[in-house]
Amino acid sequence: MPHAVPCDVYVDRLRSMLDVALGLALSAGLDEEELPTAAVPQWFAAVSGPRFAEAPVFARWGGERYATAVRGGPGNSTPGSTSSTPTPRPGAGHGGT
């Protein structure tokens, strides 16, 4: 497990990706075949594609945790379920803790 990072480092990483996502959502049409990716942070591009092994440790660790949660990690699915959609957990929505 990677070491915890200072809050400001985490916030900077999160904002770097959210800024790009919001910019694309506001400017790119959904009918475009390819979205512009030049502004996507390199760590996110690496962890989201075939260069996963080249991504920084924090990104690989987060990517693995996300994949586990989406594919039925603890609290996200019923044993034997074939659904890839996570089951909502109490308090997991907006404003929940």
Side-chain angles (χ1 to χ4, degrees), residues 15-69:
R15 283 185 178 154
S16 72
M17 190 56 237
L18 291 177
D19 285 345
V20 172
L22 181 58
L24 285 173
L26 294 173
S27 66
L30 295 177
D31 56 348
E32 294 181 36
E33 277 192 41
E34 300 253 347
L35 293 174
T37 58
V40 173
Q42 290 300 310
W43 63 265
F44 189 83
V47 79
S48 301
R51 297 183 2 242
F52 183 86
E54 298 172 22
V57 172
F58 78 86
R60 291 193 315 261
W61 186 71
E64 289 166 357
R65 288 186 52 144
Y66 173 78
T68 297

Side-chain angles (χ1 to χ4, degrees), residues 63-77 84-87 89:
E64 289 166 357
R65 288 186 52 144
Y66 173 78
T68 297
V70 170
R71 293 183 185 134
N76 288 324
S77 68
S84 62
T85 304
T87 303
R89 295 176 299 218

